[in-house]
């Protein structure tokens, strides 16, 4: 068979403990092999001596598909105009900066060396659309985390004190029905509470109708995900996002998982204290200390970067509260199908604004104070903190202390004075960046053949030209291979490919449908059988994309 | 009546014939055409019968002469390659059809404008200007204690709205469905479906709907506790308006229903903006949401795909090689009338009643064989219908739920999306 050889690159492959070793890589039939055998012939060889080689990057939290993303796109024609993607012989035209079209998003991710991205807030009732949008996102493998926790079916189960086993069955059923790879909870129970006109919901505050607290929801869902053997820990967007002093809620939310694996997402937005004249301060040190101590906890940062973006969230309670801060001032807030909600608010982060500048510093403080790069992930919560296209800039901030200091000197001076960022000397290494953007996400989500470069792995490979300017280095890799095909050369698409969809398939008792089916008929607006997405239909949603199913080993 | 699934009756069928997308239909597949035997409104029954009927005689035509599909696609590609500014109308498609259309319009450097988009783009602009607070059908079904219908009776566009969302047997919460309050704003509406099962008549604020901006101003003022001139705005006692404002303020979860096509076109932005203001103001103290009714003829399916692939809504020109959104400039009626367009593609797989305009320009019609044409186009390609002949996906009125459409009977005809892709592929061959 024909084999592609990458000769002489400096391989950085943390999953296999390889740190900057010169190795030849061989690709056959879309996968890495140890060495060609007698029947193989080298059909193409790339001399990449001196070049840095990593596996394809994986964005474990990026809002790339689904109703709220499409609302954001529709709302922001003024933001798209400056970022056109022109049609070429190979690629289609598209556009968009903060909320790009799926085509633009796929091309740009690939041009930056990303080969997978995961939509973290896939509403079960909107799963089809999310998969269709991700299916129209070329170049990338995709997957979603299904949102539970404010859906009336779960809240009714909790109010009826149904046992954990029944909840596990419902969670597993949801993963199957929505073809997703994990479970997310957003402001637990509060999207429902907002529908009953509650305007805030603390960790131990009851939903007015159900009497259920966010703590209980995090507890049962983290247990369910664990029991079912789903690799990806429960993905938690904690209560009180953006509220000064929310650090206590965030620490309490970690504890609500009672020692089981739990992932706190965009934790920057949940790391705020109330010190200082303006009653807004960094609590990054307490958060980082907690992550360092609690080995069951992981987090992604949700770094903000200055400029125009749009916030798109399932958290309609918080988005409604923050709608007045929108820039441009407009917002869409939705209650959705007794299932969830969403809120879309455009936002412009300003470096001279005290709060925004401190948010910027808090995110960087967390990055630099969390010791274990396997449990902290590089995200901007695209597009909520900044568009994903800012990742190379963010990497430079983490890897280059003098650059970071220079940037720090330009922000709001009061915010600078409130931050300990100037005293944080750490510089991330390429090895640590590779952990945060490749090996770590693959391990967290349970993608055994991605995020590394050992024989057997899918040949998602990125070749960078070493450059002391890390932003320049990471924004334009020389070569990107997706499943063994060269798709990007010198930062330009040379081949358009369609990725696959990751989904987990935990075992469960199908008897749970005896409860779900009548619920749909009595209270819902559609039938259960039309809610569920079959394997065949998933591929149709994806426009012909491939289902990559992952079995789960039950722990419950 | 509930039909059991039998060897020829398929149950839980989703219907693509209006934006409500009911998914509880039973359809008998045995006859020469599909027969909706349970839960079908008149539109569904007639639509399924008409669009699904035996069509083996239908064949592509070039200038009126029978041609193969390949020949017809090649001729369409030739016409589009020769066109400086082709426009794409009709667009009554499901998601797969819309995907194909997007590939073609990009390749051809055209503009897409759905047959319902004259009000659709205006509604979209209100979202771009201010946004909205919006709900969906299951929330209405379970939570709405006061439903205010602004200039619409709902059932003219979504016949089963009251049956499925309002006068239901039960809700999940502390709300008796029959106790809901129904209020119509505007006259000359079919208010019969608003009568509760226990015989309670709806409130009707009877006035000429062209005065809707005034009516919404009165309500907005009263909800904001601002003075209103006169004892009887729009001929209706101020006390009634005040009572309605108080009821909205006192409701736990009111819903304001509107539908773009019922407004005077020149007032659409104004009315939708005023509804947005009313809803925003009510949410300061209680919950209130708007519910736009749309989705007929697949307009939301086409809109969704257009937006997600390129970032922009319809009325975007691909002529320069990059998308340029200009809804005022790029209305295809205008482009056709001024002669700025020089070819028309009419794509439709869900609507066989609205014929393409006769323009005198090269015209390509890709539509169900049951569509009656006023004149013979240069290229005609008959296509199958999603949800009847082939599977597909349909975006419902609330833009959240996408229903899977089933293939219920075989057809030799291609899907509209396949035809669009075939033409785009031909164009690439011609142009390369």
């Amino acid at each position: 068979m024909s084999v592609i050889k990458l000769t002489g690159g400096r391989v950085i492959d943390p999953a296999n403990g390889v740190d900057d070793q010169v190795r030849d890589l061989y690709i056959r039939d879309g996968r890495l092999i140890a060495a060609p055998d007698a029947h193989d012939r080298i059909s193409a060889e790339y001399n990449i001596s001196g070049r840095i080689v990593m596996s394809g990057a994986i964005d474990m939290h990026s809002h790339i598909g689904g109703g709220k993303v499409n609302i954001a796109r529709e709302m922001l024609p003024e933001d798209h105009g400056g970022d056109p993607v022109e049609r070429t012989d190979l690629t289609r035209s598209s556009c968009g900066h903060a909320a790009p079209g799926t085509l633009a998003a796929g091309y740009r991710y690939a041009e930056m060396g990303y080969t997978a991205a995961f939509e973290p807030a896939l509403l079960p009732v909107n799963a089809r659309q999310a998969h269709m949008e991700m299916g129209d996102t070329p170049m990338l493998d995709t997957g979603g985390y299904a949102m539970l926790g404010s859906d009336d079916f779960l809240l009714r189960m909790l109010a009826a004190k149904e046992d954990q086993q029944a909840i596990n069955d419902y969670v597993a059923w949801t993963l199957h029905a929505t073809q997703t790879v994990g479970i997310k909870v957003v402001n637990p129970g509060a999207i429902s509470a907002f529908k009953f006109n509650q305007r805030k919901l603390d960790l131990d505050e009851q939903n007015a109708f159900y009497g259920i607290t966010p703590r209980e929801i995090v507890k049962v869902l983290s247990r369910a995900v664990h029991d079912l053997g789903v690799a990806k820990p429960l993905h938690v967007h904690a209560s009180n996002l953006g509220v000064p002093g929310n650090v206590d809620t965030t620490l309490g939310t970690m504890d609500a998982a009672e020692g089981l694996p739990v992932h706190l997402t965009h934790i920057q937005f949940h790391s705020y204290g109330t010190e200082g004249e303006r009653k807004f301060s960094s609590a990054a040190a307490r958060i980082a200390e907690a992550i360092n101590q609690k080995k069951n906890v992981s987090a992604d940062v949700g770094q903000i970067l200055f400029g125009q973006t749009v916030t798109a969230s399932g958290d309609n309670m918080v988005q409604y509260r923050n709608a007045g801060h929108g820039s441009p001032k407009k917002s869409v807030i939705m209650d959705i199908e007794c299932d969830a909600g969403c809120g879309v608010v455009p936002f412009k982060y300003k470096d001279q604004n005290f709060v925004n500048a401190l948010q910027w510093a808090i995110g960087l403080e967390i990055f630099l104070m969390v010791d274990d790069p396997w449990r902290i992930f590089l995200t901007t919560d695209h597009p909520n903190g900044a568009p994903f296209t800012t990742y190379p800039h963010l990497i430079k901030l983490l890897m280059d202390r003098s650059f970071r200091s220079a940037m720090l000197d330009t922000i709001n001076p009061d915010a600078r004075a409130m931050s300990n960022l100037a005293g944080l000397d750490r510089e991330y290494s390429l090895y640590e960046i590779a952990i945060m953007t490749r090996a770590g996400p693959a391990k967290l989500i349970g993608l055994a053949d991605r995020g590394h470069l050992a024989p057997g792995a899918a040949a998602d490979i990125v070749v960078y030209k070493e450059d002391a300017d890390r932003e320049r280095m990471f924004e334009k890799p020389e070569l990107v291979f997706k499943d063994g095909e060269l798709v990007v050369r010198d930062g330009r698409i040379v081949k358009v490919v369609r990725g696959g969809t990751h989904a987990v398939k935990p075992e469960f008792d199908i008897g749970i449908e005896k409860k779900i089916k009548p619920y749909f008929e009595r209270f819902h607006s559609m039938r259960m059988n039309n809610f569920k997405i079959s394997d065949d239909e998933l591929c149709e949603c994806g426009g012909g994309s491939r289902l990559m199913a992952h079995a789960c080993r039950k722990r419950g | 009546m509930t039909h059991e699934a039998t060897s020829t009756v398929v149950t839980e069928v989703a219907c693509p014939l209006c934006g409500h997308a009911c998914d509880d239909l039973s359809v008998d597949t045995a006859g020469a055409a599909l027969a909706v035997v349970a839960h079908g409104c008149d539109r569904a029954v007639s639509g399924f019968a008409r669009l699904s009927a035996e069509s083996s005689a239908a064949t592509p035509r070039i200038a009126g002469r029978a041609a193969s599909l390949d020949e017809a696609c090649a001729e369409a590609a030739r016409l589009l390659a020769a066109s400086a500014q082709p426009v794409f109308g009709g667009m009554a498609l499901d998601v797969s059809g819309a995907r194909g259309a997007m590939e073609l319009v990009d390749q051809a450097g055209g503009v897409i404008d759905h047959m319902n988009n004259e009000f659709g783009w205006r509604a979209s602009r209100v979202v771009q200007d201010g946004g909205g607070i919006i709900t969906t059908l299951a929330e209405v079904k379970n939570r709405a204690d006061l439903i205010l219908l602004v200039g619409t009776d709902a059932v003219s566009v979504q016949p089963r709205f009251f049956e499925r969302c309002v006068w239901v047997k039960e809700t999940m919460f502390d709300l008796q469905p029959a106790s809901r309050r129904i209020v119509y704003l505007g006259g000359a509406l079919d208010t019969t479906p608003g009568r509760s099962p226990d015989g309670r008549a709806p409130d009707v604020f009877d006035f000429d709907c062209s005065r809707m901006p005034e009516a919404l101003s009165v309500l907005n003022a009263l909800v904001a506790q601002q003075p209103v001139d006169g004892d009887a705005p729009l001929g209706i006692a101020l006390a009634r308006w005040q009572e309605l404002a108080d009821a909205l303020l006192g409701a736990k979860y009111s819903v304001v229903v509107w539908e773009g096509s019922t407004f005077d076109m020149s007032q659409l932005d104004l009315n939708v903006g005023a509804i947005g203001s009313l809803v925003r103001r009510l949410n300061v103290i209680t919950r209130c949401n708007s519910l736009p009714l749309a989705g007929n003829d697949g307009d939301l399916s086409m809109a969704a795909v257009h937006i997600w692939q390129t970032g922009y809504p319809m009325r975007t020109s691909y002529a320069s090689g990059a998308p340029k959104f200009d809804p005022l400039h790029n209305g295809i009626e205008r482009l056709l009338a001024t002669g700025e367009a020089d070819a028309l593609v009419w794509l439709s797989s869900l609507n066989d009643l609205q014929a393409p305009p006769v323009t005198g320009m090269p015209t390509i019609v890709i539509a169900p064989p049951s569509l009656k044409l006023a004149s013979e186009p240069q290229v005609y390609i008959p296509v199958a219908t999603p949800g009847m002949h082939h599977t597909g996906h349909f975006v419902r009125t609330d833009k959240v739920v996408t229903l899977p459409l089933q293939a219920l009977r075989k057809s030799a005809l291609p899907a509209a999306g396949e035809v669009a892709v075939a033409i785009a592929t031909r164009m690439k061959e011609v142009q390369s």
Side-chain angles (χ1 to χ4, degrees):
Chain A
M1 293 179 74
S2 66
V3 167
I4 298 168
K5 183 182 182 190
L6 307 184
T7 308
R10 294 163 52 192
V11 174
I12 298 179
D13 182 17
N16 298 299
V18 177
D19 185 7
D20 202 358
Q21 295 176 18
V22 175
R23 292 189 174 186
D24 296 339
L25 297 176
Y26 298 95
I27 305 167
R28 184 175 62 204
D29 208 15
R31 296 202 169 255
L32 286 152
I33 55 169
D37 62 29
H39 306 292
D40 292 329
R41 65 179 176 84
I42 306 291
S43 59
E45 180 174 358
Y46 298 85
N47 181 351
I48 54 167
S49 63
R51 305 297 195 252
I52 299 291
V53 185
M54 298 183 187
S55 63
I58 299 169
D59 194 343
M60 55 80 72
H61 184 113
S62 175
H63 296 284
I64 52 169
K68 65 184 173 304
V69 184
N70 225 26
I71 291 167
R73 294 183 187 110
E74 181 174 8
M75 277 172 80
L76 289 171
E78 67 272 33
D79 189 56
H80 302 331
D83 286 88
V85 173
E86 292 193 8
R87 178 174 66 242
T88 69
D89 289 345
L90 282 176
T91 55
R92 298 257 308 272
S93 68
S94 183
C95 72
H97 161 253
T102 57
L103 299 167
Y107 301 146
R108 287 179 182 158
Y109 259 120
E111 285 166 357
M112 290 189 344
Y114 277 75
T115 51
F118 290 82
E119 164 56 51
L122 183 147
L123 277 54
V125 76
N126 186 240
R128 268 190 189 83
Q129 180 178 343
H131 283 302
M132 291 191 293
E133 292 187 29
M134 290 192 281
D136 281 354
T137 306
M139 317 303 289
L140 296 179
D141 295 332
T142 60
Y145 313 147
M147 253 172 76
L148 291 177
S150 276
D151 55 309
D152 286 289
F153 192 86
L154 179 74
L155 294 169
R156 284 160 66 89
M157 289 182 95
L158 294 176
K161 304 212 178 309
E162 295 210 33
D163 64 17
Q164 183 73 43
Q165 187 56 52
I167 287 162
N168 293 357
D169 286 333
Y170 171 60
V171 170
W173 179 87
T174 301
L175 286 162
H176 281 264
T178 60
Q179 299 280 1
T180 43
V181 78
I183 296 290
K184 185 190 198 189
V185 60
V186 171
N187 197 356
I191 302 167
S192 163
F194 184 53
K195 296 170 188 174
F196 294 107
N197 203 27
Q198 287 174 276
R199 301 301 169 110
K200 71 169 186 58
L201 197 69
D202 287 326
L203 187 58
D204 293 304
E205 191 174 349
Q206 291 184 348
N207 176 298
F209 182 79
Y210 291 106
I212 303 297
T213 67
R215 186 186 297 277
E216 292 169 79
I217 294 168
V218 171
K219 179 183 168 179
V220 299
L221 286 178
S222 56
R223 166 60 67 184
V225 168
H226 174 264
D227 287 356
L228 292 167
V230 173
K232 173 74 188 66
L234 180 67
H235 201 70
V236 182
H237 159 144
S239 316
N240 289 330
L241 180 144
V243 177
N246 62 13
V247 57
D248 293 316
T249 308
T250 309
L251 297 173
T253 304
M254 292 179 187
D255 292 338
E258 298 186 346
L260 292 176
V262 66
H263 181 92
L264 279 285
T265 190
H266 41 67
I267 200 161
Q268 176 276 129
F269 290 107
H270 304 269
S271 302
Y272 303 150
T274 53
E275 290 165 20
E277 276 177 29
R278 308 195 205 201
K279 305 290 179 207
F280 181 72
S281 60
S282 170
R286 288 177 67 196
I287 291 292
E289 186 190 354
I291 296 173
N292 289 339
Q293 282 177 2
K294 299 173 199 286
K295 305 299 182 197
N296 63 314
V297 174
S298 56
D300 63 273
V301 171
Q303 177 67 35
I304 72 136
L305 293 162
F306 304 117
Q308 177 70 54
T309 193
V310 58
T311 63
S313 171
D315 194 342
N316 56 1
M317 177 190 270
V318 163
Q319 290 291 74
Y320 174 76
R321 191 164 64 217
N322 291 337
H325 299 302
S327 176
K329 194 167 178 179
K330 52 186 170 181
S331 60
V332 169
I333 306 293
M334 283 188 80
D335 293 342
I336 295 177
E337 287 298 277
C338 301
D339 187 50
C342 80
V344 182
V345 183
F347 202 86
K348 189 168 188 178
Y349 294 103
K350 297 174 182 156
D351 60 359
Q352 296 313 310
N353 172 290
F354 169 74
V355 172
N356 297 166
L358 195 51
Q359 287 178 303
W360 176 86
I362 290 168
L364 294 174
E365 289 171 16
I366 294 169
F367 271 117
L368 298 169
M369 288 193 284
V370 171
D371 298 332
D372 182 0
W374 290 92
R375 291 191 290 118
I376 191 86
F377 298 88
L378 189 145
T379 67
T380 56
D381 187 18
H382 164 81
N384 294 328
F388 66 81
T389 42
T390 57
Y391 287 167
H393 176 81
L394 176 54
I395 289 171
K396 184 174 181 180
L397 284 168
L398 298 177
M399 295 190 74
D400 185 337
R401 184 163 52 90
S402 59
F403 176 66
R404 189 163 68 226
S405 298
M407 293 298 290
L408 181 62
D409 286 341
T410 66
I411 68 166
N412 176 289
D414 294 344
R416 184 166 67 238
M418 293 278 288
S419 169
N420 69 347
L421 192 56
L424 295 171
D425 292 340
R426 181 174 174 189
E427 291 185 327
Y428 268 83
S429 66
L430 285 173
Y431 190 75
E432 288 174 317
I433 293 292
I435 293 171
M436 276 205 300
T437 58
R438 278 92 171 154
K443 184 182 172 200
L444 188 81
I445 300 167
L447 312 174
D449 64 349
R450 307 274 161 179
H452 71 95
L453 296 170
D460 294 350
I461 304 169
V462 188
V463 177
Y464 298 100
K465 186 176 178 188
E466 171 79 280
D467 192 327
D469 183 337
R470 299 308 192 188
E471 182 169 354
R472 205 161 54 200
M473 173 174 165
F474 278 96
E475 73 189 3
K476 202 172 172 186
E478 278 192 346
L479 303 172
V480 180
F481 294 85
K482 178 84 193 78
D483 291 307
E485 291 190 276
L486 181 67
V487 294
V488 171
R489 188 190 270 276
D490 297 326
R492 301 285 297 170
I493 305 282
V494 294
K495 177 161 190 172
V496 176
V497 295
R498 185 184 291 283
T501 306
H502 292 286
V504 291
K505 301 290 170 184
E507 292 172 24
F508 72 109
D509 180 0
I510 191 76
I512 189 72
E513 290 199 342
K514 292 198 183 84
K515 292 178 185 166
I516 298 172
K517 191 167 189 285
Y519 168 82
F520 270 82
E521 285 169 18
R522 289 169 67 192
F523 302 124
H524 222 297
S525 63
M526 68 194 298
R527 297 296 175 100
M528 181 189 77
N529 287 323
N530 288 321
F531 176 92
K532 292 159 63 175
I533 304 172
S534 70
D535 291 356
D536 285 348
E537 197 201 337
L538 175 75
C539 297
E540 195 184 327
C541 286
S545 69
R546 179 165 60 98
L547 169 64
M548 295 181 283
H550 301 271
C552 300
R553 187 170 299 166
K554 229 175 175 169
R555 289 180 282 222
Chain B
M1 176 182 71
T2 305
H3 249 266
E4 294 300 315
T6 67
S7 57
T8 63
V9 173
V10 182
T11 59
E12 297 188 336
V13 171
C15 171
L17 293 165
C18 86
H20 206 80
C22 305
D23 72 336
D24 57 352
L25 276 61
S26 296
V27 177
D28 194 336
T29 61
L34 294 171
V36 179
V37 293
H39 301 147
C41 66
D42 292 349
R43 187 187 308 217
V45 170
S46 63
F48 269 86
R50 206 174 57 241
L51 282 155
S52 69
E54 192 55 54
S55 56
S56 55
T59 143
R61 298 191 297 268
I62 298 173
R65 290 193 312 278
S68 72
L69 180 60
D70 272 356
E71 290 165 345
C73 288
E75 178 61 8
R78 196 188 63 76
L79 289 172
L80 286 173
S83 162
Q85 181 58 83
V87 293
F88 289 65
M91 311 314 288
L93 301 166
D94 79 322
V95 169
S96 63
R99 280 171 155 166
M102 290 301 292
E103 196 167 329
L104 181 56
V105 76
D106 194 20
Q107 185 65 33
V111 171
I112 282 179
D113 201 11
H114 190 278
M115 58 173 71
N116 297 344
N117 202 34
E118 193 54 42
F119 50 85
W121 81 265
R122 288 182 163 85
S124 188
R125 187 166 67 176
V126 177
V127 173
Q128 288 156 4
D129 286 347
I133 301 175
I134 305 162
T135 194
T136 68
L137 298 183
E139 301 287 4
V140 175
K141 178 176 174 176
N142 286 285
R143 295 179 195 273
D145 51 358
L146 193 168
I147 299 175
L148 177 66
L149 296 111
V150 179
T152 180
D153 55 28
V155 293
S156 297
V157 282
Q158 297 183 11
R160 294 177 68 200
F161 178 81
F162 278 90
E163 176 200 337
R164 283 172 55 87
C165 292
V166 182
W167 305 131
V168 293
K169 282 194 202 128
E170 57 181 336
T171 73
M172 259 192 274
F173 310 113
D174 305 325
L175 171 70
Q176 291 302 316
S179 73
R180 298 182 211 262
R181 180 165 176 191
I182 308 298
V183 183
Y184 291 90
L185 222 50
L189 300 171
D190 175 9
T191 60
T192 318
R195 180 173 288 270
S196 72
D198 52 14
R200 196 163 37 85
D203 281 352
V204 181
F205 284 64
D206 193 349
F207 57 86
D208 182 340
C209 279
S210 68
R211 297 183 67 187
M212 193 59 75
E214 289 171 74
L216 290 167
S217 294
V218 169
L219 259 189
N220 260 313
L222 294 174
V223 165
Q225 298 181 317
Q226 296 295 311
V228 170
D229 279 348
D231 298 335
L234 293 96
I236 296 163
L238 185 59
R240 275 191 74 200
W241 290 103
Q242 184 65 56
E243 193 278 334
L244 176 57
D246 292 345
L248 286 163
L249 286 160
K252 286 183 178 167
Y253 198 98
S254 55
V255 173
V256 183
V257 181
W258 61 272
E259 196 264 308
S261 71
T262 64
F263 294 135
D264 281 5
M265 202 67 82
S266 61
Q267 296 176 350
L268 191 139
D269 304 38
L270 199 58
N271 288 336
V272 179
I275 290 168
S277 298
L278 178 68
V279 172
R280 268 196 296 278
R281 203 178 296 279
L282 287 165
N283 272 290
V284 174
I285 60 158
T286 184
R287 291 309 316 279
C288 172
N289 287 268
S290 64
L291 181 78
L293 300 180
N296 285 20
D297 306 306
D299 54 17
L300 291 179
S301 303
M302 183 65 239
V305 175
H306 199 292
I307 293 166
W308 85 51
Q309 288 197 353
T310 72
Y312 283 131
M314 291 181 274
R315 296 198 170 192
T316 292
S317 170
Y318 296 88
S320 73
K324 288 203 170 24
F325 175 61
D326 187 342
L328 286 166
H329 185 86
N330 290 331
I332 69 162
E333 206 171 307
R334 196 195 72 80
L335 292 171
L336 288 168
T338 58
E340 290 172 59
D342 60 359
L344 169 66
V345 180
W346 190 263
L347 255 169
S348 173
S349 59
L350 291 168
N351 183 317
D352 63 342
L353 298 175
Q354 185 167 335
V358 177
T359 63
M361 293 175 194
T363 299
I364 299 159
V365 175
I366 300 163
S370 46
L371 178 69
K372 290 186 175 57
L373 299 172
S375 73
E376 181 66 27
Q378 272 67 23
V379 177
Y380 167 76
I381 302 176
V383 291
T385 295
M388 297 177 201
H389 306 117
H390 62 86
T391 58
H393 290 99
F394 186 87
V395 179
R396 198 176 74 176
T397 183
D398 44 32
K399 296 192 191 181
V400 168
V401 174
T402 303
L403 274 307
L405 302 177
Q406 297 191 46
L408 298 168
R409 72 191 319 246
K410 284 202 172 67
S411 167
L413 298 178
E418 292 166 4
V419 172
V421 171
I423 297 170
T425 306
R426 280 289 186 149
M427 285 190 74
K428 281 182 196 164
E429 290 166 9
V430 173
Q431 290 170 340
S432 63

